[in-house]
């Protein structure tokens, strides 16, 4: 299991396409520098545990945003739309584990799945958990994730058992601290979640073209005001602000991994005005496109 930087690719519904591990051992470990590239909105059927090793990150899961500091972690439940970025201008590095529930449960007919995993997966109250070391059970959970991550990376003898044992303890901790009374998912929240996934898909598929709020709203047959409300309540931004961020994220990737002219990249990412592209890029990335390309190409 190699330690690797995660390349985020999603389908039309923002479901991540990266295969995490293999069918035999469905888990993968990653390390990333959020100061260079934020993790854009996505979701996956796997569970995810993140540990901040340097600086602090802003984690957003659904409509909730919170700062996770160095030494802290976060659990993201399956199918939850989420994103990560560095907190302000600080250096931020993290490592994460993404694993399929069957790594722990085996068959869905097992007691492990039906008694322990299914309640976690189905919990409307557990989209995420912010893990802090001052809380004893959360500290234990952070340690379990670290044990699993280290064994995945270094492939110690019998590491598969050690990883599964550590993550089983992690899941048991989450299960043990589920609310006694589970809330039913709010129908409006569920509807907004499906709408936002579809609208993000529309933006991702058309970001190189002229797009406005009405077009985004029309993609799911709602009004502009309802579109604005859905974006605000679900991912706490506006459609146009998200579009701008996504365009710059795509431009950043092309600057590093393609040899295309900067002007051509700007047009492909929806910027017809080069000066506006440069200004927007600097606002979001802290430098102009040519500087970003020079700096990050050297690191490859």
């Amino acid at each position: 299991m190699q330690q690797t930087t995660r390349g985020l690719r999603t389908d039309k519904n923002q479901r991540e396409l990266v295969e995490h591990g293999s069918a035999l051992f469905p888990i993968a470990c990653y390390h990333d520098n959020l100061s260079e590239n934020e993790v854009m909105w996505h979701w996956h059927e796997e569970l995810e545990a993140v540990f901040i090793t340097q600086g602090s990150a802003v984690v957003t899961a659904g409509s909730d945003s919170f700062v996770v500091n160095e030494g802290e972690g976060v659990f993201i439940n399956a199918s939850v739309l989420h994103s990560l970025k560095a907190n302000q201008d600080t250096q931020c590095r993290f490592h994460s584990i993404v694993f399929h529930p069957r790594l722990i449960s085996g068959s869905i007919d097992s007691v492990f799945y039906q008694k322990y995993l299914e309640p976690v997966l189905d919990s409307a109250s557990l989209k995420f958990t912010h893990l802090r070391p001052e809380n004893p059970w959360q500290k234990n959970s952070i340690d379990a994730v670290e044990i699993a991550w280290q064994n995945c990376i270094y492939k110690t003898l019998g590491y598969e058992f050690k990883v599964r044992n550590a993550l089983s303890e992690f899941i048991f901790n989450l299960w043990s601290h589920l609310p006694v009374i589970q809330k039913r998912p709010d129908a409006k929240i569920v509807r907004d979640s499906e709408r936002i996934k579809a609208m993000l898909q529309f933006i991702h598929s058309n970001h190189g073209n002229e797009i406005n709020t009405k077009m985004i709203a029309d993609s799911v047959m709602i009004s502009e005001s309802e579109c604005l409300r859905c974006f605000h309540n679900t991912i706490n931004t506006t459609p146009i602000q998200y579009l701008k961020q996504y365009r710059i994220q795509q431009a950043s990737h092309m600057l590093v991994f393609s040899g295309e002219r900067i002007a051509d990249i700007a047009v492909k990412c929806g910027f017809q005005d080069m000066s506006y592209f440069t200004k927007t890029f600097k606002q979001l990335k802290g430098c102009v496109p040519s500087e970003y390309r020079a700096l990050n190409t050297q690191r490859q």
Side-chain angles (χ1 to χ4, degrees):
M1 187 73 57
Q2 292 185 347
Q3 180 180 357
T4 178
T5 300
R6 180 167 165 186
L8 189 63
R9 293 183 297 109
T10 61
D11 68 9
K12 63 181 183 179
N13 294 316
Q14 306 327 119
R15 178 177 178 176
E16 188 174 13
L17 294 174
V18 175
E19 181 179 4
H20 303 290
S22 65
L24 289 176
F25 198 53
I27 180 173
C29 297
Y30 303 99
H31 73 97
D32 287 277
N33 185 347
L34 286 176
S35 308
E36 296 177 359
N37 285 298
E38 65 184 87
V39 178
M40 297 293 286
W41 287 100
H42 70 288
W43 63 277
H44 39 69
E45 65 181 18
E46 293 87 356
L47 307 168
E48 182 167 4
V50 175
F51 179 70
I52 304 300
T53 59
Q54 179 186 359
S56 62
V58 177
V59 178
T60 307
S63 58
D64 297 290
S65 290
F66 49 98
V67 174
V68 183
N69 295 309
E70 186 173 325
E72 298 178 347
V74 62
F75 163 73
I76 304 292
N77 211 338
S79 301
V80 173
L81 196 64
H82 60 283
S83 66
L84 295 87
K85 63 181 181 180
N87 185 26
Q88 300 176 340
D89 296 325
T90 61
Q91 282 292 313
C92 179
R93 296 179 184 273
F94 74 95
H95 58 228
S96 62
I97 287 182
V98 184
F99 62 100
H100 198 281
R102 70 172 179 272
L103 177 68
I104 310 301
S105 67
S107 167
I108 61 173
D109 297 325
S110 71
V111 66
F112 305 107
Y113 182 85
Q114 294 186 6
K115 183 175 180 179
Y116 300 104
L117 263 167
E118 191 170 29
V120 170
L121 295 170
D122 292 346
S123 174
S125 305
L126 190 60
K127 290 182 180 180
F128 64 89
T129 297
H130 186 173
L131 302 169
R132 299 176 175 90
E134 59 266 25
N135 180 303
W137 79 264
Q138 293 178 6
K139 172 65 164 62
N140 182 268
S141 297
I142 292 171
D143 291 344
V145 169
E146 181 68 9
I147 289 170
W149 197 85
Q150 293 291 337
N151 276 282
C152 270
I153 296 302
Y154 296 109
K155 289 186 176 181
T156 55
L157 182 63
Y159 76 97
E160 298 92 343
F161 283 116
K162 296 173 184 177
V163 168
R164 188 176 65 175
N165 288 344
L167 292 180
S168 294
E169 183 172 0
F170 177 64
I171 293 298
F172 178 72
N173 281 337
L174 294 171
W175 175 84
S176 299
H177 293 86
L178 286 174
V180 175
I181 300 176
Q182 293 282 344
K183 298 185 299 181
R184 288 191 174 187
D186 185 278
K188 190 173 184 179
I189 293 175
V190 173
R191 184 189 63 204
D192 283 352
S193 177
E194 293 307 311
R195 282 177 173 174
I196 199 70
K197 288 177 182 178
M199 287 189 284
L200 294 186
Q201 181 270 320
F202 176 81
I203 290 173
H204 289 203
S205 298
N206 297 280
H207 72 277
N209 304 320
E210 188 70 30
I211 301 178
N212 56 39
T213 302
K214 185 178 185 304
M215 295 168 67
I216 296 169
D218 287 347
S219 71
V220 291
M221 296 180 290
I222 59 176
S223 67
E224 290 184 60
S225 60
E226 183 67 5
C227 172
L228 289 166
R229 184 203 62 78
C230 187
F231 265 82
H232 176 74
N233 289 351
T234 306
I235 61 174
N236 197 31
T237 190
T238 67
I240 300 306
Q241 184 63 26
Y242 177 82
L243 170 62
K244 184 191 298 184
Q245 291 171 344
Y246 185 76
R247 282 172 166 170
I248 293 300
Q249 184 72 12
Q250 295 306 299
S252 301
H253 182 83
M254 293 179 70
L255 284 167
V256 176
F257 295 102
S258 83
E260 296 187 56
R261 294 170 58 243
I262 293 177
D264 292 336
I265 290 173
V267 172
K268 285 186 176 181
C269 292
F271 293 94
Q272 303 303 320
D273 185 322
M274 189 62 190
S275 63
Y276 179 64
F277 170 63
T278 301
K279 178 182 177 181
T280 304
F281 195 97
K282 188 172 183 179
Q283 285 177 341
L284 295 179
K285 292 295 184 180
C287 62
V288 298
S290 57
E291 292 172 338
Y292 185 89
R293 167 174 269 177
L295 178 63
N296 288 282
T297 301
Q298 292 173 3
R299 294 174 177 173
Q300 298 304 310

